[in-house]
Amino acid sequence: MDHSTHHAATGHGHATWATAVKATLHCLTGCAVGEILGMVIGTALLWGNVPTMILAIALAFVFGYSFTLFAVMRAGLSLRAAVKVALAADTVSIAVMELVDNAIIALTPGAMDAQLSDGLFWSALFGGFAVAFLITTPVNKWMIGRGKGHAVAHAHH
């Protein structure tokens, strides 16, 4: 039985916390890279909060998807198949993560106006990612257990 068949046979109803954590960390890493890059670019260009956040969220999706995409393509999938897997696996993860993270930044007094050199900006950002991680991991575990989301990507790892 090859790896993907084995995974398909055992994938439903069973998802370990370790798998969910790994899937969430993959996604979180991409989100963090994209979001920080977006904040740096927006701040460097002296953009306001709204365009900077839009850029940061867009880049979070781009990097979140691309981290999964490269992992899946390394496993031998075509670009077209890999894109489908990445979209299926990461859309919910990234959306939940960005929603939570940006809500925390928006709700932290002064964080939106904090500069990249301010500790407050970074603590709000990483605090947001920490909470997003805690919320997204059980979501991923549930989706993997139902054979959705990251289960799609992990069948190809």
Side-chain angles (χ1 to χ4, degrees):
M1 189 186 288
D2 76 348
H3 182 68
S4 60
T5 313
H6 171 72
H7 213 74
T10 60
H12 285 284
H14 174 72
T16 64
W17 281 106
T19 305
V21 165
K22 188 176 155 204
T24 308
L25 281 173
H26 231 204
C27 177
L28 183 71
T29 307
C31 287
V33 169
E35 193 156 323
I36 292 167
L37 201 62
M39 300 276 187
V40 170
I41 293 167
T43 304
L45 298 176
L46 304 176
W47 289 3
N49 291 338
V50 174
T52 299
M53 276 182 106
I54 291 169
L55 176 66
I57 292 167
L59 289 176
F61 272 93
V62 169
F63 281 93
Y65 286 136
S66 60
F67 275 42
T68 298
L69 197 65
F70 290 124
V72 173
M73 283 181 72
R74 244 193 342 263
L77 261 76
S78 69
L79 179 63
R80 188 160 177 236
V83 166
K84 279 177 155 171
V85 167
L87 290 174
D90 287 345
T91 301
V92 172
S93 268
I94 298 172
V96 170
M97 215 164 268
E98 287 304 296
L99 192 72
V100 172
D101 185 53
N102 286 295
I104 287 172
I105 291 171
L107 296 172
T108 302
M112 288 293 286
D113 302 314
Q115 299 304 307
L116 292 175
S117 56
D118 290 358
L120 177 65
F121 168 81
W122 293 103
S123 58
L125 182 70
F126 288 111
F129 279 131
V131 174
F133 175 79
L134 293 173
I135 291 174
T136 310
T137 300
V139 171
N140 278 336
K141 185 178 187 302
W142 179 77
M143 284 176 66
I144 294 165
R146 301 210 28 224
K148 293 184 169 52
H150 280 277
V152 181
H154 283 280
H156 302 290
H157 275 274

PDB file of all heavy atoms in Angstrom, residues 95-127:
ATOM      1  N   ALA A  95      -7.276  32.142   6.811  1.00  0.00           N
ATOM      2  CA  ALA A  95      -8.366  33.083   7.093  1.00  0.00           C
ATOM      3  C   ALA A  95      -8.568  33.232   8.603  1.00  0.00           C
ATOM      4  O   ALA A  95      -8.649  34.353   9.119  1.00  0.00           O
ATOM      5  CB  ALA A  95      -9.658  32.624   6.420  1.00  0.00           C
ATOM      6  N   VAL A  96      -8.607  32.112   9.323  1.00  0.00           N
ATOM      7  CA  VAL A  96      -8.789  32.159  10.782  1.00  0.00           C
ATOM      8  C   VAL A  96      -7.607  32.890  11.417  1.00  0.00           C
ATOM      9  O   VAL A  96      -7.771  33.775  12.256  1.00  0.00           O
ATOM     10  CB  VAL A  96      -8.927  30.737  11.385  1.00  0.00           C
ATOM     11  CG1 VAL A  96      -8.860  30.766  12.907  1.00  0.00           C
ATOM     12  CG2 VAL A  96     -10.231  30.093  10.930  1.00  0.00           C
ATOM     13  N   MET A  97      -6.398  32.520  10.971  1.00  0.00           N
ATOM     14  CA  MET A  97      -5.196  33.093  11.547  1.00  0.00           C
ATOM     15  C   MET A  97      -5.134  34.606  11.335  1.00  0.00           C
ATOM     16  O   MET A  97      -4.847  35.359  12.264  1.00  0.00           O
ATOM     17  CB  MET A  97      -3.984  32.436  10.892  1.00  0.00           C
ATOM     18  CG  MET A  97      -2.851  32.265  11.824  1.00  0.00           C
ATOM     19  SD  MET A  97      -1.684  31.109  11.133  1.00  0.00           S
ATOM     20  CE  MET A  97      -2.244  29.579  11.795  1.00  0.00           C
ATOM     21  N   GLU A  98      -5.411  35.044  10.124  1.00  0.00           N
ATOM     22  CA  GLU A  98      -5.360  36.474   9.809  1.00  0.00           C
ATOM     23  C   GLU A  98      -6.444  37.247  10.548  1.00  0.00           C
ATOM     24  O   GLU A  98      -6.213  38.350  11.040  1.00  0.00           O
ATOM     25  CB  GLU A  98      -5.491  36.700   8.300  1.00  0.00           C
ATOM     26  CG  GLU A  98      -4.253  36.303   7.540  1.00  0.00           C
ATOM     27  CD  GLU A  98      -3.020  37.011   8.061  1.00  0.00           C
ATOM     28  OE1 GLU A  98      -2.953  38.250   7.961  1.00  0.00           O
ATOM     29  OE2 GLU A  98      -2.132  36.341   8.608  1.00  0.00           O
ATOM     30  N   LEU A  99      -7.626  36.671  10.622  1.00  0.00           N
ATOM     31  CA  LEU A  99      -8.735  37.312  11.312  1.00  0.00           C
ATOM     32  C   LEU A  99      -8.374  37.541  12.781  1.00  0.00           C
ATOM     33  O   LEU A  99      -8.498  38.647  13.300  1.00  0.00           O
ATOM     34  CB  LEU A  99      -9.980  36.415  11.206  1.00  0.00           C
ATOM     35  CG  LEU A  99     -11.288  37.058  11.614  1.00  0.00           C
ATOM     36  CD1 LEU A  99     -11.698  38.067  10.549  1.00  0.00           C
ATOM     37  CD2 LEU A  99     -12.364  35.997  11.763  1.00  0.00           C
ATOM     38  N   VAL A 100      -7.901  36.488  13.436  1.00  0.00           N
ATOM     39  CA  VAL A 100      -7.560  36.565  14.856  1.00  0.00           C
ATOM     40  C   VAL A 100      -6.379  37.513  15.066  1.00  0.00           C
ATOM     41  O   VAL A 100      -6.424  38.412  15.907  1.00  0.00           O
ATOM     42  CB  VAL A 100      -7.225  35.164  15.418  1.00  0.00           C
ATOM     43  CG1 VAL A 100      -6.678  35.257  16.840  1.00  0.00           C
ATOM     44  CG2 VAL A 100      -8.458  34.277  15.371  1.00  0.00           C
ATOM     45  N   ASP A 101      -5.327  37.315  14.285  1.00  0.00           N
ATOM     46  CA  ASP A 101      -4.115  38.106  14.456  1.00  0.00           C
ATOM     47  C   ASP A 101      -4.397  39.599  14.253  1.00  0.00           C
ATOM     48  O   ASP A 101      -4.007  40.427  15.058  1.00  0.00           O
ATOM     49  CB  ASP A 101      -3.031  37.625  13.482  1.00  0.00           C
ATOM     50  CG  ASP A 101      -1.726  38.349  13.730  1.00  0.00           C
ATOM     51  OD1 ASP A 101      -1.271  38.335  14.891  1.00  0.00           O
ATOM     52  OD2 ASP A 101      -1.189  38.944  12.802  1.00  0.00           O
ATOM     53  N   ASN A 102      -5.093  39.926  13.172  1.00  0.00           N
ATOM     54  CA  ASN A 102      -5.372  41.333  12.884  1.00  0.00           C
ATOM     55  C   ASN A 102      -6.366  41.933  13.868  1.00  0.00           C
ATOM     56  O   ASN A 102      -6.272  43.106  14.210  1.00  0.00           O
ATOM     57  CB  ASN A 102      -5.831  41.516  11.437  1.00  0.00           C
ATOM     58  CG  ASN A 102      -4.656  41.379  10.492  1.00  0.00           C
ATOM     59  OD1 ASN A 102      -3.744  42.181  10.509  1.00  0.00           O
ATOM     60  ND2 ASN A 102      -4.638  40.330   9.699  1.00  0.00           N
ATOM     61  N   ALA A 103      -7.298  41.130  14.362  1.00  0.00           N
ATOM     62  CA  ALA A 103      -8.239  41.614  15.380  1.00  0.00           C
ATOM     63  C   ALA A 103      -7.469  41.986  16.647  1.00  0.00           C
ATOM     64  O   ALA A 103      -7.721  43.026  17.255  1.00  0.00           O
ATOM     65  CB  ALA A 103      -9.291  40.547  15.680  1.00  0.00           C
ATOM     66  N   ILE A 104      -6.510  41.151  17.032  1.00  0.00           N
ATOM     67  CA  ILE A 104      -5.719  41.429  18.239  1.00  0.00           C
ATOM     68  C   ILE A 104      -4.870  42.682  18.047  1.00  0.00           C
ATOM     69  O   ILE A 104      -4.811  43.536  18.927  1.00  0.00           O
ATOM     70  CB  ILE A 104      -4.878  40.195  18.635  1.00  0.00           C
ATOM     71  CG1 ILE A 104      -5.818  39.137  19.213  1.00  0.00           C
ATOM     72  CG2 ILE A 104      -3.791  40.569  19.656  1.00  0.00           C
ATOM     73  CD1 ILE A 104      -5.210  37.808  19.488  1.00  0.00           C
ATOM     74  N   ILE A 105      -4.256  42.822  16.881  1.00  0.00           N
ATOM     75  CA  ILE A 105      -3.464  44.032  16.614  1.00  0.00           C
ATOM     76  C   ILE A 105      -4.391  45.258  16.650  1.00  0.00           C
ATOM     77  O   ILE A 105      -4.071  46.272  17.264  1.00  0.00           O
ATOM     78  CB  ILE A 105      -2.722  43.933  15.256  1.00  0.00           C
ATOM     79  CG1 ILE A 105      -1.618  42.870  15.347  1.00  0.00           C
ATOM     80  CG2 ILE A 105      -2.125  45.290  14.865  1.00  0.00           C
ATOM     81  CD1 ILE A 105      -0.972  42.535  14.019  1.00  0.00           C
ATOM     82  N   ALA A 106      -5.560  45.129  16.023  1.00  0.00           N
ATOM     83  CA  ALA A 106      -6.504  46.252  15.970  1.00  0.00           C
ATOM     84  C   ALA A 106      -7.033  46.606  17.364  1.00  0.00           C
ATOM     85  O   ALA A 106      -7.287  47.770  17.663  1.00  0.00           O
ATOM     86  CB  ALA A 106      -7.661  45.916  15.029  1.00  0.00           C
ATOM     87  N   LEU A 107      -7.202  45.588  18.233  1.00  0.00           N
ATOM     88  CA  LEU A 107      -7.771  45.814  19.563  1.00  0.00           C
ATOM     89  C   LEU A 107      -6.730  46.190  20.620  1.00  0.00           C
ATOM     90  O   LEU A 107      -7.083  46.635  21.701  1.00  0.00           O
ATOM     91  CB  LEU A 107      -8.539  44.563  20.022  1.00  0.00           C
ATOM     92  CG  LEU A 107      -9.770  44.213  19.177  1.00  0.00           C
ATOM     93  CD1 LEU A 107     -10.336  42.865  19.604  1.00  0.00           C
ATOM     94  CD2 LEU A 107     -10.839  45.303  19.287  1.00  0.00           C
ATOM     95  N   THR A 108      -5.439  45.976  20.309  1.00  0.00           N
ATOM     96  CA  THR A 108      -4.386  46.341  21.265  1.00  0.00           C
ATOM     97  C   THR A 108      -4.182  47.848  21.197  1.00  0.00           C
ATOM     98  O   THR A 108      -3.820  48.364  20.139  1.00  0.00           O
ATOM     99  CB  THR A 108      -3.055  45.615  20.935  1.00  0.00           C
ATOM    100  OG1 THR A 108      -3.292  44.207  20.945  1.00  0.00           O
ATOM    101  CG2 THR A 108      -1.969  45.956  21.946  1.00  0.00           C
ATOM    102  N   PRO A 109      -4.443  48.550  22.310  1.00  0.00           N
ATOM    103  CA  PRO A 109      -4.320  50.010  22.267  1.00  0.00           C
ATOM    104  C   PRO A 109      -2.931  50.455  21.799  1.00  0.00           C
ATOM    105  O   PRO A 109      -1.923  49.992  22.315  1.00  0.00           O
ATOM    106  CB  PRO A 109      -4.554  50.429  23.736  1.00  0.00           C
ATOM    107  CG  PRO A 109      -5.292  49.286  24.344  1.00  0.00           C
ATOM    108  CD  PRO A 109      -4.825  48.054  23.614  1.00  0.00           C
ATOM    109  N   GLY A 110      -2.919  51.293  20.769  1.00  0.00           N
ATOM    110  CA  GLY A 110      -1.660  51.845  20.276  1.00  0.00           C
ATOM    111  C   GLY A 110      -0.906  50.964  19.288  1.00  0.00           C
ATOM    112  O   GLY A 110       0.018  51.429  18.631  1.00  0.00           O
ATOM    113  N   ALA A 111      -1.291  49.699  19.143  1.00  0.00           N
ATOM    114  CA  ALA A 111      -0.525  48.792  18.272  1.00  0.00           C
ATOM    115  C   ALA A 111      -0.593  49.208  16.798  1.00  0.00           C
ATOM    116  O   ALA A 111       0.394  49.100  16.076  1.00  0.00           O
ATOM    117  CB  ALA A 111      -1.002  47.354  18.424  1.00  0.00           C
ATOM    118  N   MET A 112      -1.752  49.708  16.372  1.00  0.00           N
ATOM    119  CA  MET A 112      -1.897  50.126  14.971  1.00  0.00           C
ATOM    120  C   MET A 112      -0.999  51.319  14.649  1.00  0.00           C
ATOM    121  O   MET A 112      -0.551  51.484  13.532  1.00  0.00           O
ATOM    122  CB  MET A 112      -3.351  50.504  14.668  1.00  0.00           C
ATOM    123  CG  MET A 112      -4.298  49.316  14.616  1.00  0.00           C
ATOM    124  SD  MET A 112      -3.969  48.208  13.241  1.00  0.00           S
ATOM    125  CE  MET A 112      -4.588  49.173  11.881  1.00  0.00           C
ATOM    126  N   ASP A 113      -0.758  52.141  15.653  1.00  0.00           N
ATOM    127  CA  ASP A 113       0.053  53.336  15.428  1.00  0.00           C
ATOM    128  C   ASP A 113       1.519  53.123  15.804  1.00  0.00           C
ATOM    129  O   ASP A 113       2.356  53.982  15.582  1.00  0.00           O
ATOM    130  CB  ASP A 113      -0.521  54.513  16.237  1.00  0.00           C
ATOM    131  CG  ASP A 113      -1.972  54.771  15.851  1.00  0.00           C
ATOM    132  OD1 ASP A 113      -2.265  54.790  14.645  1.00  0.00           O
ATOM    133  OD2 ASP A 113      -2.798  54.928  16.758  1.00  0.00           O
ATOM    134  N   ALA A 114       1.804  51.947  16.389  1.00  0.00           N
ATOM    135  CA  ALA A 114       3.179  51.643  16.789  1.00  0.00           C
ATOM    136  C   ALA A 114       4.040  51.471  15.541  1.00  0.00           C
ATOM    137  O   ALA A 114       3.569  50.988  14.516  1.00  0.00           O
ATOM    138  CB  ALA A 114       3.212  50.378  17.638  1.00  0.00           C
ATOM    139  N   GLN A 115       5.287  51.870  15.634  1.00  0.00           N
ATOM    140  CA  GLN A 115       6.216  51.711  14.517  1.00  0.00           C
ATOM    141  C   GLN A 115       6.883  50.336  14.600  1.00  0.00           C
ATOM    142  O   GLN A 115       6.823  49.675  15.629  1.00  0.00           O
ATOM    143  CB  GLN A 115       7.279  52.815  14.564  1.00  0.00           C
ATOM    144  CG  GLN A 115       6.697  54.210  14.448  1.00  0.00           C
ATOM    145  CD  GLN A 115       5.856  54.399  13.192  1.00  0.00           C
ATOM    146  OE1 GLN A 115       6.308  54.124  12.088  1.00  0.00           O
ATOM    147  NE2 GLN A 115       4.629  54.862  13.355  1.00  0.00           N
ATOM    148  N   LEU A 116       7.531  49.931  13.494  1.00  0.00           N
ATOM    149  CA  LEU A 116       8.206  48.633  13.462  1.00  0.00           C
ATOM    150  C   LEU A 116       9.305  48.537  14.507  1.00  0.00           C
ATOM    151  O   LEU A 116       9.672  47.454  14.935  1.00  0.00           O
ATOM    152  CB  LEU A 116       8.796  48.364  12.066  1.00  0.00           C
ATOM    153  CG  LEU A 116       7.766  48.149  10.957  1.00  0.00           C
ATOM    154  CD1 LEU A 116       8.468  48.020   9.621  1.00  0.00           C
ATOM    155  CD2 LEU A 116       6.919  46.927  11.216  1.00  0.00           C
ATOM    156  N   SER A 117       9.817  49.691  14.944  1.00  0.00           N
ATOM    157  CA  SER A 117      10.886  49.685  15.949  1.00  0.00           C
ATOM    158  C   SER A 117      10.323  49.575  17.368  1.00  0.00           C
ATOM    159  O   SER A 117      11.068  49.397  18.318  1.00  0.00           O
ATOM    160  CB  SER A 117      11.726  50.958  15.824  1.00  0.00           C
ATOM    161  OG  SER A 117      10.876  52.091  15.937  1.00  0.00           O
ATOM    162  N   ASP A 118       8.996  49.679  17.508  1.00  0.00           N
ATOM    163  CA  ASP A 118       8.373  49.611  18.835  1.00  0.00           C
ATOM    164  C   ASP A 118       8.159  48.173  19.295  1.00  0.00           C
ATOM    165  O   ASP A 118       7.671  47.341  18.529  1.00  0.00           O
ATOM    166  CB  ASP A 118       6.979  50.292  18.825  1.00  0.00           C
ATOM    167  CG  ASP A 118       7.063  51.797  18.670  1.00  0.00           C
ATOM    168  OD1 ASP A 118       8.196  52.308  18.620  1.00  0.00           O
ATOM    169  OD2 ASP A 118       6.007  52.434  18.592  1.00  0.00           O
ATOM    170  N   GLY A 119       8.473  47.926  20.549  1.00  0.00           N
ATOM    171  CA  GLY A 119       8.213  46.613  21.139  1.00  0.00           C
ATOM    172  C   GLY A 119       6.733  46.281  21.123  1.00  0.00           C
ATOM    173  O   GLY A 119       6.339  45.133  20.942  1.00  0.00           O
ATOM    174  N   LEU A 120       5.883  47.323  21.304  1.00  0.00           N
ATOM    175  CA  LEU A 120       4.433  47.114  21.337  1.00  0.00           C
ATOM    176  C   LEU A 120       3.929  46.494  20.034  1.00  0.00           C
ATOM    177  O   LEU A 120       3.108  45.578  20.045  1.00  0.00           O
ATOM    178  CB  LEU A 120       3.714  48.454  21.589  1.00  0.00           C
ATOM    179  CG  LEU A 120       2.177  48.398  21.569  1.00  0.00           C
ATOM    180  CD1 LEU A 120       1.668  47.549  22.733  1.00  0.00           C
ATOM    181  CD2 LEU A 120       1.589  49.797  21.653  1.00  0.00           C
ATOM    182  N   PHE A 121       4.449  46.995  18.911  1.00  0.00           N
ATOM    183  CA  PHE A 121       4.039  46.456  17.608  1.00  0.00           C
ATOM    184  C   PHE A 121       4.331  44.958  17.540  1.00  0.00           C
ATOM    185  O   PHE A 121       3.485  44.156  17.183  1.00  0.00           O
ATOM    186  CB  PHE A 121       4.773  47.192  16.473  1.00  0.00           C
ATOM    187  CG  PHE A 121       4.612  46.514  15.139  1.00  0.00           C
ATOM    188  CD1 PHE A 121       3.464  46.697  14.392  1.00  0.00           C
ATOM    189  CD2 PHE A 121       5.602  45.670  14.657  1.00  0.00           C
ATOM    190  CE1 PHE A 121       3.300  46.049  13.173  1.00  0.00           C
ATOM    191  CE2 PHE A 121       5.451  45.020  13.441  1.00  0.00           C
ATOM    192  CZ  PHE A 121       4.294  45.212  12.698  1.00  0.00           C
ATOM    193  N   TRP A 122       5.565  44.584  17.886  1.00  0.00           N
ATOM    194  CA  TRP A 122       5.981  43.181  17.785  1.00  0.00           C
ATOM    195  C   TRP A 122       5.269  42.295  18.802  1.00  0.00           C
ATOM    196  O   TRP A 122       4.885  41.179  18.489  1.00  0.00           O
ATOM    197  CB  TRP A 122       7.506  43.065  17.927  1.00  0.00           C
ATOM    198  CG  TRP A 122       8.177  43.704  16.762  1.00  0.00           C
ATOM    199  CD1 TRP A 122       8.787  44.924  16.730  1.00  0.00           C
ATOM    200  CD2 TRP A 122       8.253  43.192  15.418  1.00  0.00           C
ATOM    201  NE1 TRP A 122       9.245  45.190  15.457  1.00  0.00           N
ATOM    202  CE2 TRP A 122       8.929  44.154  14.637  1.00  0.00           C
ATOM    203  CE3 TRP A 122       7.815  42.019  14.813  1.00  0.00           C
ATOM    204  CZ2 TRP A 122       9.190  43.974  13.277  1.00  0.00           C
ATOM    205  CZ3 TRP A 122       8.067  41.833  13.455  1.00  0.00           C
ATOM    206  CH2 TRP A 122       8.738  42.798  12.697  1.00  0.00           C
ATOM    207  N   SER A 123       5.065  42.820  20.025  1.00  0.00           N
ATOM    208  CA  SER A 123       4.386  41.998  21.027  1.00  0.00           C
ATOM    209  C   SER A 123       2.926  41.776  20.628  1.00  0.00           C
ATOM    210  O   SER A 123       2.389  40.686  20.803  1.00  0.00           O
ATOM    211  CB  SER A 123       4.503  42.596  22.430  1.00  0.00           C
ATOM    212  OG  SER A 123       3.965  43.886  22.470  1.00  0.00           O
ATOM    213  N   ALA A 124       2.287  42.801  20.056  1.00  0.00           N
ATOM    214  CA  ALA A 124       0.905  42.641  19.585  1.00  0.00           C
ATOM    215  C   ALA A 124       0.859  41.643  18.426  1.00  0.00           C
ATOM    216  O   ALA A 124      -0.014  40.771  18.373  1.00  0.00           O
ATOM    217  CB  ALA A 124       0.323  43.987  19.147  1.00  0.00           C
ATOM    218  N   LEU A 125       1.832  41.750  17.513  1.00  0.00           N
ATOM    219  CA  LEU A 125       1.872  40.848  16.362  1.00  0.00           C
ATOM    220  C   LEU A 125       2.071  39.400  16.800  1.00  0.00           C
ATOM    221  O   LEU A 125       1.320  38.507  16.415  1.00  0.00           O
ATOM    222  CB  LEU A 125       2.998  41.261  15.395  1.00  0.00           C
ATOM    223  CG  LEU A 125       3.113  40.431  14.117  1.00  0.00           C
ATOM    224  CD1 LEU A 125       1.940  40.699  13.179  1.00  0.00           C
ATOM    225  CD2 LEU A 125       4.409  40.756  13.386  1.00  0.00           C
ATOM    226  N   PHE A 126       3.088  39.156  17.641  1.00  0.00           N
ATOM    227  CA  PHE A 126       3.368  37.783  18.050  1.00  0.00           C
ATOM    228  C   PHE A 126       2.331  37.245  19.027  1.00  0.00           C
ATOM    229  O   PHE A 126       2.013  36.067  19.012  1.00  0.00           O
ATOM    230  CB  PHE A 126       4.803  37.650  18.574  1.00  0.00           C
ATOM    231  CG  PHE A 126       5.809  37.742  17.459  1.00  0.00           C
ATOM    232  CD1 PHE A 126       6.647  38.844  17.349  1.00  0.00           C
ATOM    233  CD2 PHE A 126       5.871  36.757  16.480  1.00  0.00           C
ATOM    234  CE1 PHE A 126       7.547  38.947  16.291  1.00  0.00           C
ATOM    235  CE2 PHE A 126       6.763  36.860  15.416  1.00  0.00           C
ATOM    236  CZ  PHE A 126       7.607  37.957  15.322  1.00  0.00           C
ATOM    237  N   GLY A 127       1.781  38.153  19.836  1.00  0.00           N
ATOM    238  CA  GLY A 127       0.668  37.753  20.705  1.00  0.00           C
ATOM    239  C   GLY A 127      -0.514  37.312  19.856  1.00  0.00           C
ATOM    240  O   GLY A 127      -1.166  36.307  20.139  1.00  0.00           O
TER     241      GLY A 127
END
